[in-house]
Amino acid sequence: MNKLLKNSEILTCADLVKLKDNSIASVAGFVIVKQKPSTANGTIFLTLEDETGTSNIICWNSVYKQFRKEIISSSFLLIDGVLQKEKNTSHLIAKNIKDISQLLNLIPGID
């Protein structure tokens, strides 16, 4: 899963939660929350937002170490991972993270 998926395979936040548990998926959005609780043993929790809602992302410590630069410095991310669903809660367990902030320059009117 170290490749960037085709645009047609990138889901909105609203579509992501419709998938079955353990589905492989990709979602893109603005990083609106970054949390690294001291009790979480290096796990990072991200919240991405797009025009349809929000997605909860879990980055285990090993993933954080691999993609630290992207997580720390990016405002717009593409995340590939495996969906984990329990009751009414969904989390994407991150496997690959890509900074796609440069794509914002393609939107007319955004400087």
Side-chain angles (χ1 to χ4, degrees):
M1 206 176 332
N2 287 327
K3 66 177 183 74
L4 179 63
L5 297 177
K6 292 179 275 185
N7 288 342
S8 63
E9 296 172 321
I10 299 171
L11 301 174
T12 65
C13 293
D15 287 337
L16 180 66
V17 298
K18 296 176 186 175
L19 296 179
K20 293 180 182 179
D21 187 35
N22 291 317
S23 295
I24 295 171
S26 295
V27 67
F30 290 98
V31 180
I32 60 169
V33 176
K34 295 177 194 172
Q35 296 177 322
K36 187 178 180 184
S38 59
T39 57
N41 296 324
T43 300
I44 302 291
F45 300 95
L46 303 174
T47 303
L48 299 187
E49 181 177 45
D50 68 13
E51 68 278 0
T52 68
T54 60
S55 294
N56 299 313
I57 312 296
I58 296 175
C59 300
W60 300 127
N61 193 29
S62 60
V63 173
Y64 173 69
K65 287 178 182 177
Q66 185 177 358
F67 298 103
R68 183 181 183 278
K69 179 183 175 197
E70 290 85 350
I71 292 169
I72 296 295
S73 64
S74 304
S75 59
F76 197 52
L77 292 174
L78 171 64
I79 300 181
D80 303 326
V82 178
L83 188 66
Q84 180 184 68
K85 294 181 94 168
E86 292 183 28
K87 299 180 184 176
N88 294 330
T89 304
S90 296
H91 294 88
L92 190 66
I93 308 300
K95 301 292 183 188
N96 188 51
I97 299 174
K98 181 167 179 69
D99 177 8
I100 57 171
S101 299
Q102 74 281 2
L103 295 178
L104 296 174
N105 296 328
L106 300 175
I107 301 172
I110 293 184
D111 299 321

